[in-house]
């Protein structure tokens, strides 16, 4: 039996596979960029604005605690944080890089006890 020479390569299956992969990439790329569903919300007469508080807590290198630029003790900060709504209010932590890690742990422990969900740790680039 005689073998045929392999002179030509059939690239049609390769082109089919590349086109299918291209369609998949384009379909997922448009889905990833448009993660929201556009909905025209109805209006109501009894509109109540959500009151979200943004609270800044800072600790300097000496271990002094500040609640919205007002120096307070850790116990007073604990009392004020326990009065906030953990699901709505935003807490931002400003820690001095040379402060002890224990100060950070103390604040995080208070926030964890109350169950805060919106916590941001402020850093610089």
């Amino acid at each position: 039996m005689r073998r045929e020479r392999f002179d030509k390569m059939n690239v049609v299956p390769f082109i089919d596979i590349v086109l299918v992969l291209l369609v998949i990439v384009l379909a997922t790329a448009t889905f990833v960029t448009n993660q929201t569903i556009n909905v025209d919300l109805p209006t109501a007469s009894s509109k109540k604005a959500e009151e979200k508080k943004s609270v800044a807590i800072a600790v300097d290198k000496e271990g002094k605690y500040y609640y919205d630029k007002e120096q307070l003790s850790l116990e007073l900060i604990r009392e004020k944080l326990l009065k906030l709504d953990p699901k709505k209010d935003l807490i931002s932590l400003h820690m001095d890089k040379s402060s002890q890690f224990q100060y950070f742990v103390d604040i995080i422990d208070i926030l964890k006890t109350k169950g805060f969900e919106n916590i941001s740790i402020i850093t610089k680039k």
Side-chain angles (χ1 to χ4, degrees), residues 1-2 17 72 90 96 99 109 115 117 119 122-123 125:
M1 186 182 242
R2 199 166 184 226
I17 291 172
L72 297 174
L90 173 67
D96 191 283
S99 66
D109 188 41
E117 296 177 356
I119 302 170
I122 309 301
T123 61
K125 291 184 180 180

Side-chain angles (χ1 to χ4, degrees), residues 34-70:
N34 300 327
Q35 290 180 345
T36 61
I37 299 172
N38 293 331
V39 178
D40 188 18
L41 297 174
T43 58
S45 61
S46 62
K47 191 175 190 180
K48 181 180 177 185
E50 286 188 26
E51 294 181 20
K52 288 189 176 185
K53 284 187 180 179
S54 179
V55 176
I57 298 175
V59 178
D60 63 5
K61 61 183 175 183
E62 287 88 28
K64 297 175 187 167
Y65 295 97
Y66 295 90
Y67 183 92
D68 284 336
K69 298 181 181 180
E70 178 185 358

Side-chain angles (χ1 to χ4, degrees), residues 2 5 25 30 33 37 39 74 80 82 97 111 119:
R2 199 166 184 226
R5 286 187 65 191
V25 167
T30 58
T33 57
I37 299 172
V39 178
L74 183 62
K80 287 192 175 216
L82 293 178
K97 67 179 180 180
L111 297 173
I119 302 170

Side-chain angles (χ1 to χ4, degrees), residues 16 22 43 45 106:
D16 290 342
L22 181 66
T43 58
S45 61
D106 292 339

